[in-house]
Amino acid sequence: MLDSPIDAFKNDVRFRDYIAHVETIPAKKASFKKIPDLNDKIVDYLDSKEIKLYEHQAETYEAIKRDENVILTTNTASGKTLAFNLPIMDTLIDDEKATALYIYPAKALSNDQLNVLKELESDLGIKTNPRTYDGDTPKSQRYGIRQKSRVILTNPYQLHLILSWHHQWERFYRNLKYIVIDEAHYYRGVFGSNVAFLIRRLKRIANFYGSDPKFILSSATLANPLELANKLTGEEFTLVDNDTSPSGEKDFILFNPFKNYRNSAKSSAPSIHVVTADIFRYLMLKNIQTLCFTVSRKITELIAMWSKKDAKLTDGKLDNTRIAAYRAGYRPEERREIEDGLKSGKYLGVTCTNALELGIDIGSLDAVIISGFPGTMMSTWQQSGRAGRSNQKSLAILLAFENQLDQYYMNNPKAFFSKPQEKAIIDLTNPILQEAHLLCAANELPLKKGEAMQYFNISDEVLDNLVRKDYLYLSRVGNYTYKYDDNPAFDHSLDQISSEEFKIMSNGRLLETMERSQVYREAHEGAILINKGETYTVDNVNLKSGYVNVSKKNVDYHTMVLNDTDVNVVSKEFKKQYGDLTIHFGELNVKKDYYKYKKMQHSRVLGMYSLDLPPLKFKTKGLWFTIPKSVKDTLKDLYPDDDEVFEGGLHGAEHALIGLFPLQVMCDRFDIGGMSTAYHKDTEDATIFIYDGYEGGIGICEKAVDVFVELLESTLDLIKGCKCRNGCPSCIYSPKCGNDNKPLHKNATEYILQYMLDETLKNNSEVKTEEIPVAEDEDLYLQALNLYSDHLYSQSKDLLHEILSVDADDLNANLLMAHVLYEQGIEDVSMYYARKALKISPSNQNAATLLQKLQFAPASKEFVHKSVDNDEDKSFDDVDTLYEEAYDLFNQGDLDTARELLEELLAIDDTHVEANALMGYVYRMAGVFPKAMEYARKASKLDKNNEMVRELIKELS
């Protein structure tokens, strides 16, 4: 019997030796359910279309009509949209004023669903006037949409910007019955955390107009759907996850181009993209309609281009007009034409990015190629679900890259097919996100006392801090109001934590935008930047103005940046002990110094070049663990000729663990960073740090602590199973290593990981979690007070500075600082702190008494400040000298010391215009945009016509 076209691939002599595993997923029959007492119009619609509702569709319908919040998690093409559209239409039929808001993560998806809703409106014979409202909506149509549409489709980006104009939407919000969040699994990490705050702002506005809408979430299958739904909206949900739709048999093939490849100097590694193109062309020649997912826009275009060229060599067997590429950046009409072409069969093969992973209607295809593991099991199943007609066999092929995660799955197919979906992570504790969305909320509606807790689970202390920073105004009746005329939503991106944005310009044309850390990695001076398949050289980077100028140039090399990373422990939050292995978790300070870059031609280094960039610094959350000296001594004995064997083992363990992080936690390997060192001053031992790569942290490493042993086991399996001798990209090399993957030692890596795993088995594998109380300011204050009582004034002052760096308006700290300085004979500065304490608490008798004593004291003594650069003594009163020194340090790139001097200057004279403006520039250069804005506003209030102030505000606007 001849193979069917679908079966032919796995038996073809060109491919079969590279197949790591074939998993045959059996066909499944549908299961249906009738709903009693349906609306007559709904019944007529179902009958006219000959639709029978699947069980999960009926369960969703019934839960929505019971007025419950519902999350529906079933496979691709299982009829999720119909499941929530019908009960919503039912309500809109009964209540002619009722409205519904549909939120989609992409414009293309909104437009696709708009057509579905228009057809449903027509078939049901009701008037809902469904419309999209986003950045592409003509201004001339917006008023009519706000006044007449009962169903509006939008995206989070648009909603974020228009919430402050809610008074224009009063009719819509007052009658809002449902909020639909489709593709809910898409909202995770930084983006998901931002959207979670956005949804809470939306709820608050709906409540203001008297409505209490119910939420309907539609999602791919994932491990924590109820947790995700709750964190995204703040509501409790009913889960519908029993997929009762039909599906045909599917072969899911794990294909490993590196299966028989041994890394050596004599052999070149296979090209994953060439192999992908070969399989893509093979399937099309078999007349198998195929969708090929790739890792980037550039590769999407390349594989389509190669396939079209190859089609010309097939003697008419393959028509190259039936091949297309699909990605973000195309015009909407171009994307729609390709989507329709897939449904109609016009296109036989389409290459795409993950843009087609979302639920855009392209029909069901015969085969899907996934070129490189897409990062999560959830995305993998979403993409593979694009193949499969209800009664026909289909094919899904996952091609492995030469990295740790892909190779792990190729060697452990059982783990791949038995692995549950990952947990989607949303973190609502990031202080930067909290402050940004509170400012947006206060701009939309004044925040009453307790509303921050009610809607955002944030205490009023955070609002009070924003008042002290001069962002909010606290009225006499206790309302917090945004103080300025701008819209803070424009300053805060939903896609990232940092709001600092750089514009990449080519001959005056905007190519793209990047945040600062991406500029350091990809668009530093001398870098080769790739945009839409074209190569550009970076001519110059202006860190102050936020512009990067590039020139188009065809080159045959690429660049790779190197960096030194330094990590320090700020505070410990908890530790988890697995046997005798202790994993610590807490807040970390990370400093990355990008000091050099390489020009590379394939794997050959053409040259090394220095970079002069101020280091990137940020606070984040992370985990760390130590390796004792006994392990180092053993490795030295085992490998006496390798000087860096221990360091190479630590470095390899760090790389390998990070490479398999996505195996346990839903993240991309580029979402996390790490550092290993043979000695760290904070732990006083050899230490490996792994941290969230975002300011404030987004919960990735915190989740990883709970599954650390599983991560350890899978990482050790990967190292042992890799066939290379000295390490390779499949085990311990990292594509993002800032130290050029040096030093690395595979055997030492295996030894360290085995040691760690053995430690987890001691003490009967007992797992203990211990919360570590963080020292409160009050504790520091009591220590400072005791030191003051013991006449240890310098030590007391150090602690007080620490308190005031967190809260400059701490009454007790200011008052005690005044007394400390008075005892030291520094009366002029003591007077400053006493006045400040009295300003904070006008009735404070202690401050008043001290101030009176100071005002009648003899002439103030000179306070000596030691210069950073030399031993020359300088008067603390000489603010101009301090300013000039800070200005020079700023120009030299020493932002930290410049900031410290400016803090001392402003502690004496906070009305110094240039000092406030320069502080704004310091924070602007450091990438701390909110602080830069804070000082810019202070300086502007003092003298808005000052040239330096005007220039700063211009740069920040």
Side-chain angles (χ1 to χ4, degrees):
M1 182 178 175
L2 294 175
D3 287 338
S4 71
I6 291 293
D7 288 320
F9 172 79
K10 62 187 177 186
N11 297 318
D12 192 283
V13 67
R14 288 167 290 183
F15 304 115
R16 65 191 182 195
D17 289 342
Y18 300 98
I19 293 176
H21 182 77
V22 179
E23 186 83 7
T24 299
I25 301 169
K28 178 168 65 73
K29 291 184 178 180
S31 179
F32 304 98
K33 181 180 178 180
K34 284 189 175 183
I35 304 175
D37 303 322
L38 276 177
N39 185 291
D40 290 342
K41 288 188 176 182
I42 303 289
V43 173
D44 292 342
Y45 168 77
L46 294 174
D47 289 344
S48 67
K49 300 291 184 180
E50 297 182 348
I51 295 173
K52 293 194 297 181
L53 293 178
Y54 303 132
E55 276 189 32
H56 66 270
Q57 290 175 322
E59 289 173 11
T60 302
Y61 195 118
E62 291 169 337
I64 292 171
K65 296 306 291 180
R66 288 195 302 267
D67 216 22
E68 297 171 1
N69 299 304
V70 178
I71 178 166
L72 172 62
T73 64
T74 54
N75 295 324
T76 307
S78 57
K80 289 193 284 283
T81 300
L82 186 66
F84 58 75
N85 273 344
L86 288 181
I88 290 174
M89 292 301 123
D90 191 343
T91 298
L92 268 58
I93 291 168
D94 290 340
D95 183 349
E96 294 183 353
K97 291 184 177 181
T99 62
L101 180 66
Y102 286 58
I103 302 172
Y104 293 95
K107 290 179 185 177
L109 200 53
S110 296
N111 292 323
D112 184 63
Q113 295 303 319
L114 176 62
N115 293 326
V116 172
L117 287 164
K118 282 182 175 179
E119 290 179 12
L120 194 55
E121 177 192 42
S122 175
D123 290 335
L124 291 172
I126 61 172
K127 192 66 176 175
T128 61
N129 194 24
R131 294 293 300 274
T132 57
Y133 197 102
D134 55 37
D136 295 335
T137 305
K139 290 185 178 179
S140 60
Q141 298 178 15
R142 294 189 174 196
Y143 177 80
I145 294 173
R146 293 195 299 265
Q147 298 304 310
K148 297 176 182 178
S149 290
R150 299 173 63 202
V151 176
I152 289 179
L153 302 90
T154 189
N155 58 68
Y157 306 100
Q158 183 69 21
L159 192 60
H160 177 52
L161 299 179
I162 65 173
L163 274 185
S164 60
W165 301 317
H166 53 83
H167 56 280
Q168 298 177 348
W169 294 77
E170 180 176 353
R171 173 201 66 90
F172 187 83
Y173 286 131
R174 192 173 297 281
N175 297 288
L176 187 58
K177 301 297 181 186
Y178 299 107
I179 297 173
V180 176
I181 304 176
D182 203 3
E183 307 288 349
H185 57 278
Y186 197 79
Y187 301 107
R188 58 186 189 264
V190 172
F191 182 52
S193 303
N194 269 312
V195 171
F197 282 115
L198 172 64
I199 295 301
R200 284 157 173 79
R201 287 161 47 201
L202 172 62
K203 279 170 54 179
R204 179 170 170 259
I205 287 170
N207 293 167
F208 175 77
Y209 287 108
S211 66
D212 186 19
K214 292 299 175 184
F215 285 90
I216 303 167
L217 273 58
S218 170
S219 169
T221 52
L222 67 162
N224 62 335
L226 289 172
E227 179 188 0
L228 171 66
N230 174 259
K231 286 199 169 184
L232 198 56
T233 67
E235 303 288 340
E236 297 301 319
F237 278 77
T238 296
L239 172 64
V240 179
D241 61 354
N242 179 30
D243 188 347
T244 54
S245 61
S247 60
E249 184 180 287
K250 178 182 292 183
D251 276 345
F252 199 125
I253 295 176
L254 301 185
F255 189 93
N256 190 5
F258 303 91
K259 184 179 179 184
N260 302 307
Y261 166 70
R262 288 183 177 273
N263 192 305
S264 70
K266 297 179 181 178
S267 61
S268 59
S271 168
I272 181 71
H273 305 309
V274 171
V275 176
T276 299
D278 288 344
I279 295 174
F280 185 52
R281 186 177 63 252
Y282 170 88
L283 294 175
M284 288 188 293
L285 281 167
K286 295 287 186 181
N287 203 36
I288 297 172
Q289 193 182 30
T290 303
L291 189 62
C292 177
F293 287 97
T294 69
V295 294
S296 69
R297 296 181 182 189
K298 178 183 176 182
I299 301 304
T300 290
E301 297 281 10
L302 280 175
I303 292 177
M305 182 179 70
W306 294 340
S307 300
K308 285 184 177 184
K309 287 181 179 178
D310 291 342
K312 294 179 181 179
L313 308 176
T314 60
D315 297 326
K317 295 177 183 177
L318 182 57
D319 181 357
N320 68 357
T321 65
R322 299 187 69 193
I323 302 170
Y326 181 104
R327 62 170 177 81
Y330 285 0
R331 296 194 305 273
E333 59 270 24
E334 292 174 327
R335 292 198 301 266
R336 175 64 63 185
E337 190 274 332
I338 297 170
E339 294 159 15
D340 291 341
L342 276 169
K343 281 189 282 189
S344 67
K346 172 185 174 181
Y347 290 111
L348 183 59
V350 171
T351 61
C352 65
T353 58
N354 62 358
L356 280 179
E357 178 185 315
L358 298 173
I360 299 166
D361 183 12
I362 55 171
S364 295
L365 311 174
D366 299 314
V368 163
I369 298 170
I370 305 172
S371 185
F373 181 67
T376 66
M377 293 301 301
M378 188 178 63
S379 289
T380 305
W381 290 111
Q382 280 286 100
Q383 292 178 11
S384 68
R386 283 301 194 179
R389 308 176 196 271
S390 58
N391 297 313
Q392 296 180 21
K393 188 167 185 177
S394 62
L395 179 65
I397 304 169
L398 172 63
L399 280 83
F401 277 36
E402 194 187 7
N403 62 50
Q404 293 99 325
L405 194 56
D406 288 34
Q407 291 302 312
Y408 177 83
Y409 281 136
M410 291 297 128
N411 295 319
N412 296 273
K414 186 176 180 181
F416 180 87
F417 288 103
S418 63
K419 178 174 171 54
Q421 307 286 8
E422 300 89 350
K423 290 185 176 183
I425 295 171
I426 286 179
D427 180 22
L428 299 174
T429 64
N430 185 291
I432 298 172
L433 300 190
Q434 287 182 344
E435 289 195 0
H437 286 280
L438 285 176
L439 292 179
C440 292
N443 182 52
E444 290 149 7
L445 287 168
L447 277 161
K448 298 176 182 177
K449 285 280 187 181
E451 275 197 320
M453 179 61 70
Q454 177 186 349
Y455 286 98
F456 306 101
N457 198 33
I458 300 172
S459 73
D460 285 345
E461 290 177 11
V462 179
L463 291 171
D464 292 334
N465 191 42
L466 289 170
V467 172
R468 286 191 289 270
K469 290 180 177 179
D470 207 31
Y471 287 134
L472 297 181
Y473 169 73
L474 178 59
S475 70
R476 291 183 179 180
V477 295
N479 291 341
Y480 297 90
T481 306
Y482 185 64
K483 291 189 68 171
Y484 303 97
D485 294 332
D486 61 339
N487 183 355
F490 285 96
D491 294 331
H492 181 68
S493 166
L494 296 182
D495 291 313
Q496 58 197 39
I497 291 176
S498 169
S499 57
E500 189 176 26
E501 190 174 75
F502 285 78
K503 294 178 173 64
I504 314 299
M505 308 296 295
S506 174
N507 292 324
R509 180 172 63 93
L510 178 65
L511 282 183
E512 59 183 293
T513 59
M514 293 181 178
E515 51 97 22
R516 179 181 283 259
S517 63
Q518 190 178 2
V519 169
Y520 277 40
R521 294 192 305 269
E522 301 175 17
H524 54 81
E525 287 189 8
I528 299 300
L529 181 72
I530 301 175
N531 180 281
K532 297 179 181 175
E534 304 286 349
T535 54
Y536 298 81
T537 59
V538 178
D539 301 322
N540 60 75
V541 179
N542 191 321
L543 295 176
K544 288 186 178 180
S545 67
Y547 282 92
V548 177
N549 292 306
V550 302
S551 300
K552 192 173 180 180
K553 187 177 181 180
N554 291 323
V555 297
D556 61 352
Y557 64 88
H558 64 280
T559 51
M560 179 183 294
V561 70
L562 303 178
N563 70 78
D564 277 332
T565 301
D566 190 26
V567 178
N568 296 110
V569 177
V570 177
S571 64
K572 300 175 183 178
E573 295 186 10
F574 68 85
K575 60 183 179 181
K576 195 156 189 172
Q577 195 166 343
Y578 298 94
D580 281 355
L581 176 69
T582 302
I583 309 298
H584 302 268
F585 179 83
E587 188 173 37
L588 303 171
N589 263 332
V590 177
K591 182 175 82 169
K592 283 183 172 289
D593 184 13
Y594 291 81
Y595 67 98
K596 192 179 292 185
Y597 72 95
K598 299 187 295 182
K599 284 185 180 179
M600 305 278 294
Q601 192 175 58
H602 302 295
S603 59
R604 187 164 64 94
V605 178
L606 302 179
M608 301 278 281
Y609 305 86
S610 297
L611 281 174
D612 183 18
L613 291 167
L616 290 180
K617 299 177 183 179
F618 60 96
K619 279 187 179 180
T620 186
K621 299 289 182 73
L623 62 86
W624 65 95
F625 51 89
T626 60
I627 306 296
K629 186 176 180 298
S630 58
V631 173
K632 178 180 181 178
D633 294 340
T634 302
L635 286 171
K636 289 285 186 183
D637 291 340
L638 290 172
Y639 305 98
D641 297 330
D642 292 335
D643 292 337
E644 295 184 301
V645 59
F646 185 53
E647 291 81 357
L650 292 171
H651 197 190
E654 173 210 331
H655 280 186
L657 288 166
I658 288 175
L660 285 191
F661 242 62
L663 185 68
Q664 302 295 342
V665 181
M666 185 181 290
C667 70
D668 187 279
R669 64 190 297 163
F670 289 89
D671 289 336
I672 47 181
M675 187 196 82
S676 57
T677 176
Y679 177 83
H680 196 276
K681 61 182 179 63
D682 292 339
T683 63
E684 299 182 340
D685 222 329
T687 310
I688 294 177
F689 292 91
I690 301 175
Y691 54 84
D692 292 2
Y694 298 92
E695 178 80 35
I698 54 171
I700 296 172
C701 287
E702 187 170 6
K703 289 277 186 186
V705 173
D706 292 332
V707 291
F708 195 82
V709 173
E710 292 88 338
L711 174 64
L712 198 54
E713 290 171 339
S714 54
T715 306
L716 188 57
D717 287 344
L718 174 77
I719 303 296
K720 289 181 175 179
C722 188
K723 298 174 182 176
C724 73
R725 292 185 61 186
N726 299 315
C728 70
S730 296
C731 56
I732 60 174
Y733 278 63
S734 170
K736 59 176 226 172
C737 180
N739 294 313
D740 204 19
N741 283 298
K742 297 173 183 176
L744 288 174
H745 196 292
K746 184 181 179 183
N747 290 336
T749 297
E750 182 179 334
Y751 184 88
I752 289 171
L753 292 171
Q754 186 65 60
Y755 158 80
M756 294 171 64
L757 189 59
D758 291 344
E759 291 296 294
T760 68
L761 302 176
K762 294 181 179 179
N763 293 326
N764 299 319
S765 301
E766 187 178 2
V767 179
K768 298 177 182 177
T769 302
E770 180 184 341
E771 300 290 332
I772 300 173
V774 179
E776 299 293 336
D777 286 349
E778 188 175 340
D779 297 332
L780 289 177
Y781 173 78
L782 290 174
Q783 294 176 44
L785 184 60
N786 290 331
L787 290 166
Y788 169 78
S789 301
D790 294 336
H791 308 293
L792 300 172
Y793 301 125
S794 294
Q795 292 95 317
S796 177
K797 195 160 60 177
D798 288 342
L799 291 179
L800 292 171
H801 276 307
E802 191 174 338
I803 296 170
L804 292 171
S805 68
V806 176
D807 183 2
D809 291 333
D810 186 295
L811 172 62
N812 291 331
N814 276 285
L815 190 54
L816 183 56
M817 181 70 87
H819 281 283
V820 168
L821 293 165
Y822 176 77
E823 294 297 336
Q824 288 185 313
I826 313 169
E827 284 110 350
D828 53 348
V829 189
S830 175
M831 188 179 296
Y832 164 80
Y833 281 102
R835 283 175 176 159
K836 190 174 178 184
L838 204 57
K839 185 179 178 181
I840 296 167
S841 177
S843 61
N844 191 286
Q845 190 59 46
N846 192 330
T849 302
L850 177 61
L851 191 59
Q852 185 179 25
K853 187 187 300 183
L854 285 163
Q855 287 170 339
F856 290 100
S860 61
K861 299 177 183 176
E862 187 174 76
F863 173 64
V864 176
H865 169 74
K866 285 288 185 182
S867 167
V868 175
D869 295 325
N870 53 60
D871 293 327
E872 180 184 344
D873 292 344
K874 295 182 180 178
S875 168
F876 195 67
D877 289 328
D878 192 354
V879 293
D880 290 334
T881 304
L882 279 174
Y883 174 76
E884 292 301 326
E885 188 175 345
Y887 188 82
D888 289 342
L889 288 165
F890 169 77
N891 286 328
Q892 294 166 20
D894 190 350
L895 301 182
D896 279 351
T897 311
R899 178 179 54 78
E900 289 172 5
L901 291 183
L902 288 170
E903 284 175 350
E904 293 186 7
L905 188 163
L906 291 171
I908 303 169
D909 181 9
D910 61 359
T911 64
H912 195 292
V913 180
E914 286 80 7
N916 277 286
L918 184 57
M919 187 70 97
Y921 274 111
V922 168
Y923 279 113
R924 168 78 169 83
M925 289 288 286
V928 187
F929 191 79
K931 294 289 287 185
M933 286 295 297
E934 176 186 336
Y935 280 97
R937 286 172 176 145
K938 284 182 180 178
S940 180
K941 287 178 180 178
L942 293 167
D943 184 1
K944 65 181 179 182
N945 295 317
N946 181 283
E947 184 179 350
M948 187 176 181
V949 174
R950 289 205 311 269
E951 188 64 30
L952 173 61
I953 291 175
K954 182 180 177 182
E955 287 192 16
L956 291 171
S957 60

